[in-house]
Amino acid sequence: MIDVYSAATPNGHKVHIMLEECGLPYRIHHIDIGAGDQFKPEFLAVSPNNKIPAIVDPDGPDGKPMPLFESGAILVYLASKVGKFLGDSDRDKFTTLQWLMFQMGGVGPMLGQAHHFRIYAPEKINYAINRYTNETKRLYGVIDKQLSKNAYLAGDQYTIADIATFPWTRSWKNQGIDWDDYPHAKRWFDEISERPAVKRGVEVLANARKSLADDPKAKEMLFGTAQYAKR
Ligand SMILES: N[C@@H](CCC(=O)N[C@@H](CS)C(=O)NCC(=O)O)C(=O)O
């Protein structure tokens, strides 16, 4: 049974969806990132960057427990474990990894900043809002173009590149996106939303999710001095 340390956020959803897609048994441990659980020594021992998601697979490749943080690494690990969602040929695998890296290095960080400056920042800083909204639109444009030629991001198969990217596009409204501008991405989004494993994955820990809007303590934990204390 894989232990999953997580919350109902886009990076958490990636792993919840993947586990559901793979049919792997898992036990979920809620890390309340608004309450500061991510700074507890027992969580930092598995995830030293104080971020969810993290997993511990008691049955690692050498038979010993395998702890992992970083959602992209976890997706690659689980795909390798079950032999699915990475692509069949070496060419397919590298193409999948390419689009996974595009998500990890571009889509996640930039859409996250767009969300932050549009919704959470205490002051409206137009330069930051425009910078990250425009970058988000550019990235949706790249995705849309790729999906105009392919059913999925890495080609004709549903892979961990789709599993990594989809959860970030669920917050399209808060990122300033109008789906009418990205019809191919919308077709992909609608199709993935309907997958039974995706429907189950996005419900994991959904009840524990709290809005940050009126929660100054959570904002302090996520964006304030708590982040920068030496540990
Ligand atoms: N690159 C990391 C990012 C993880 C991440 O940003 N997690 C957020 C929630 S989506 C988090 O745990 N934030 C808590 C914190 O920064 O203290 C990954 O993909 O796993």
Side-chain angles (χ1 to χ4, degrees):
M1 175 87 70
I2 296 176
D3 284 297
V4 181
Y5 301 87
S6 196
T9 72
N11 290 313
H13 288 319
K14 294 177 194 174
V15 173
H16 311 159
I17 290 171
M18 180 65 175
L19 287 161
E20 290 291 337
E21 292 282 11
C22 295
L24 285 167
Y26 62 98
R27 184 169 35 223
I28 198 101
H29 306 267
H30 181 217
I31 302 297
D32 187 344
I33 56 176
D37 288 354
Q38 70 272 41
F39 305 119
K40 290 184 178 163
E42 58 272 27
F43 180 69
L44 291 173
V46 181
S47 185
N49 194 31
N50 64 260
K51 295 192 192 296
I52 64 93
I55 65 165
V56 179
D57 180 1
D59 183 23
D62 49 6
K64 295 189 203 137
M66 180 80 206
L68 273 175
F69 68 98
E70 280 296 329
S71 58
I74 297 170
L75 292 180
V76 173
Y77 175 78
L78 294 173
S80 305
K81 188 177 173 81
V82 297
K84 281 192 205 162
F85 305 121
L86 201 47
D88 296 329
S89 65
D90 282 350
R91 174 176 293 273
D92 291 345
K93 283 183 188 138
F94 290 123
T95 304
T96 300
L97 290 177
Q98 165 188 266
W99 286 99
L100 178 68
M101 298 297 159
F102 164 80
Q103 188 288 311
M104 293 297 294
V107 170
M110 294 299 120
L111 276 51
Q113 293 301 325
H115 195 129
H116 181 88
F117 284 105
R118 295 173 64 87
I119 309 292
Y120 296 142
E123 326 147 47
K124 292 286 165 226
I125 305 166
N126 282 332
Y127 180 86
I129 292 172
N130 292 336
R131 156 92 183 128
Y132 291 113
T133 304
N134 287 336
E135 180 62 5
T136 292
K137 290 181 177 173
R138 190 187 69 77
L139 289 163
Y140 271 79
V142 174
I143 292 170
D144 194 64
K145 193 165 179 192
Q146 175 67 358
L147 292 170
S148 72
K149 297 176 282 184
N150 298 281
Y152 300 103
L153 284 169
D156 57 6
Q157 286 183 53
Y158 174 69
T159 68
I160 53 173
D162 303 293
I163 293 173
T165 307
F166 167 79
W168 280 97
T169 58
R170 293 177 75 233
S171 304
W172 55 273
K173 211 176 202 170
N174 285 337
Q175 298 155 3
I177 289 300
D178 179 349
W179 276 129
D180 287 347
D181 296 332
Y182 311 99
H184 307 287
K186 178 69 162 72
R187 180 264 306 152
W188 166 91
F189 177 84
D190 287 344
E191 184 195 315
I192 294 179
S193 304
E194 287 305 312
R195 290 179 70 91
V198 170
K199 286 188 171 174
R200 292 194 300 275
V202 298
E203 282 308 312
V204 173
L205 292 173
N207 290 341
R209 188 174 184 142
K210 294 178 224 139
S211 159
L212 283 186
D214 303 310
D215 191 343
K217 184 183 169 210
K219 283 189 176 164
E220 162 60 22
M221 284 296 166
L222 290 167
F223 314 131
T225 50
Q227 281 291 330
Y228 308 110
K230 195 157 187 238
R231 294 187 172 84

